[in-house]
Amino acid sequence: MKFSSTSKLVQRNTNITVADLILAYFRLEGVTKIFGIPGAAVANLITTLKNNNKEFDYIITKQETGAGYIAEGYYRTSGNLGVVLVTAGPGATNALTASMNAQANNSAMLTITGEIDQKYFGKAYLQEGIDAKLNISAIYNNADQYSGLVTDSSNFSTIFQQALRTCWSIPRRAAHISLPNDIVAMQIDDVDLPRTVSNYRAVPDGCNYKSVLATFNEIKSAKRPLLFLGNGSRAALQDPVRLQRVQAFAKKYALPIMTTPDAKGIYPENDELSLRNFGAAQCEWPQYYLKGEHLDGDFDCLVILGSSLGKLATNSWEEDLNPSLHNVIQVDLDQSIIGRGIPISRGIIAEVGAFIDLLIDISDKDEKPQNEAVKNRLTFIQDIKEKHSPYLHPEKMHLDKNPIYPQALMQVVNEVIPKDANIFSDCANCVGWSLHYLNVSPPMQIHYSLSMGPLGFGVAGVIGGKLGAPDKTCLAIVGDGAFMMHGTEITTAIQYNIAPIWIVLNDNDLGMVSQGQAHFFPPKNPSETSWDDYYKIGNPNCKLFAESLGAEAYDVSDITEAKAALKTAIQRADESNKPQVIVAHINTEEIPPYYSELKAY
């Protein structure tokens, strides 16, 4: 069937190129920013972008991996599709790490890689990536949810629409398009372009009523129920009305809520029912609720929303979960992960927001919650919080020592950062410090990359985060090793008048590796080399490095200096619109709560 040009679903376009059609889809999707580095294999597309530069910003980064991290950071704070455009060969392979990271993080990102003209396929042309040893489309097909090779103008729309559907699926995904340069310039006599995105994509929004009703009844009748939120709940809970309904529901039934590490803060950590984050570097509160005494009945009902239950989210299951637990309900739209991390009693395939709405609609009809059980449970949770700090070492959060205790540095962030800020944590030790010692509640958000765990994501990602949320403070907590990897993207921020803030944990070491090796492989005798500061990184002067790239930078060695520097950086970022870098010289003997004396994380 072919719709006429008067159809309400499509509009006829004549005598346009594939490049024009790409921009038409960008307009439909609300894409105005593209990230990457140009090259010959995208010559025709970047020419069209240049001729439409009042509509589209092609933001040139310093390295293609950085471009992908920035694009993902932009998606995370704006909710808009992250788009990466790079050339063939090494441009495409450099961008691969960021694309597979977005896939692992369930972020909506589209990577477009250029390709040489088709007439040169198989002739060992420079940077060929299709009919040669380097097959870019095949590589991305093994890393992303979808990878398509456009072979003619006639199949462009089909392949491009499929990539967009993939990006906006639930959970969000990464997709890739390989686009030969000659095809981009091809003229199309006539093509039907959808009028809206709903003409070619949709997302599910329903769930099974009987399953939700059964789950509600189990929560209501349980002695010690618990709601466990994963990062797949983030989009649903970014709706402030829905979040308020969840808080009211939790209060009505004294239902405690904890999150996975990468979902930290999607439910307010200052809420009376919040047990904060579980798993790696977890808050101290969950263990007391899960295994606690003085409450009638065992922990008997666990409801998991939007989590694949990866190892970082579950690495203390064996210690904390009741082995006789028989009510485990897991809700996710991706049926392939249901029951993967833990045996379940019920799997519900549903979009998390739809499940939450239906669950609360059912609860609104319940005028008689079990008041005695609810009252006892609330008293029990309050008692946990009164008797136990959420932190492993709360006393270290207020030590004003030189060098700085990382615990105290996190407390400075707690005290100074605006309540609607976006925080990006890089990987390695800053994950442990921020997971355990930061207190995050909406509208503040914290963003991790814990599935792939690449160094440098937070360093570059915060730039895209600030671009996506220009009116909010965007702060990255990074190590000096990661900062040296992708710190050159500061010049990208300078060029495009973007003013994020970096706190660099400076220890002249790949600290997580040194400390981890010391924990798991301690020297067996005095003659063996110690792991202490074993993986030094050359003692770079991070302050001078940042200043040489155009940032305003501060060296701090105690908490008084750190607090003053962060206040100044927030103010200067707003006033001068310049990137701000705080280099914090930290105590290298302090170890994040991955391997604490209370838990073997």
Side-chain angles (χ1 to χ4, degrees), residues 212-469:
V212 180
L213 177 61
T215 300
F216 167 74
N217 288 329
E218 288 167 350
I219 292 173
K220 181 181 176 181
S221 62
K223 295 294 185 180
R224 200 186 309 176
L226 177 65
L227 186 60
F228 191 20
L229 301 177
N231 199 41
S233 305
R234 184 179 293 270
L237 293 183
Q238 283 178 330
D239 180 339
V241 174
R242 181 181 287 128
L243 179 58
Q244 289 174 4
R245 294 188 76 198
V246 172
Q247 288 181 271
F249 174 76
K251 185 174 182 179
K252 182 177 181 180
Y253 296 98
L255 176 65
I257 297 175
M258 68 183 188
T259 73
T260 61
D262 57 0
K264 179 180 173 68
I266 66 171
Y267 186 81
E269 293 194 324
N270 58 12
D271 186 89
E272 64 178 337
L273 276 308
S274 172
L275 299 180
R276 301 191 181 177
N277 57 289
F278 184 72
Q282 71 186 46
C283 174
E284 290 297 291
W285 288 335
Q287 62 178 314
Y288 298 108
Y289 181 80
L290 294 172
K291 299 169 69 174
E293 301 173 354
H294 315 302
L295 186 68
D296 182 25
D298 287 332
F299 169 54
D300 54 358
C301 182
L302 176 64
V303 181
I304 305 158
L305 302 185
S307 173
S308 61
L309 299 180
K311 185 61 179 173
L312 291 182
T314 62
N315 61 357
S316 56
W317 277 145
E318 295 82 2
E319 296 174 48
D320 289 336
L321 283 189
N322 173 11
S324 65
L325 176 64
H326 60 274
N327 275 345
V328 180
I329 300 98
Q330 186 176 5
V331 181
D332 206 287
L333 197 55
D334 183 356
Q335 69 183 75
S336 69
I337 58 92
I338 291 181
R340 185 182 73 174
I342 184 174
I344 61 172
S345 57
R346 180 182 303 111
I348 301 176
I349 301 170
E351 191 271 320
V352 169
F355 173 86
I356 290 173
D357 291 343
L358 183 53
L359 178 70
I360 297 176
D361 286 345
I362 292 171
S363 75
D364 287 343
K365 300 174 184 178
D366 176 32
E367 298 178 357
K368 296 180 179 180
Q370 293 183 359
N371 292 325
E372 192 63 30
V374 168
K375 182 179 178 180
N376 290 341
R377 192 159 58 240
L378 182 59
T379 300
F380 178 58
I381 296 167
Q382 290 172 340
D383 188 59
I384 289 172
K385 294 191 174 186
E386 288 173 2
K387 291 182 177 179
H388 304 284
S389 170
Y391 310 112
L392 184 63
H393 289 296
E395 75 283 358
K396 294 183 179 180
M397 298 175 71
H398 302 281
L399 291 177
D400 195 354
K401 300 283 188 178
N402 183 344
I404 297 171
Y405 275 69
Q407 300 94 327
L409 187 59
M410 296 302 103
Q411 181 60 17
V412 166
V413 176
N414 284 333
E415 294 174 2
V416 176
I417 199 77
K419 299 306 180 186
D420 62 348
N422 280 279
I423 301 173
F424 284 76
S425 172
D426 214 279
C427 296
N429 274 354
C430 44
V431 169
W433 296 126
S434 61
L435 273 175
H436 191 75
Y437 288 100
L438 289 185
N439 185 352
V440 180
S441 295
M444 184 185 294
Q445 294 187 61
I446 188 164
H447 305 275
Y448 291 98
S449 183
L450 299 180
S451 294
M452 287 296 301
L455 283 181
F457 163 75
V459 178
V462 71
I463 299 173
K466 180 65 174 177
L467 192 60

Side-chain angles (χ1 to χ4, degrees), residues 124-158:
Y125 197 86
L126 178 67
Q127 297 182 339
E128 180 181 352
I130 260 314
D131 189 18
K133 207 68 171 172
L134 175 66
N135 189 328
I136 291 297
S137 185
I139 290 172
Y140 273 85
N141 193 50
N142 284 283
D144 288 354
Q145 191 71 17
Y146 175 79
S147 178
L149 168 65
V150 179
T151 58
D152 189 80
S153 60
S154 62
N155 62 32
F156 168 78
S157 284
T158 301

Side-chain angles (χ1 to χ4, degrees), residues 515-528:
Q515 292 173 349
Q517 291 294 102
H519 179 79
F520 291 107
F521 305 97
K524 297 179 181 179
N525 57 68
S527 64
E528 289 189 25

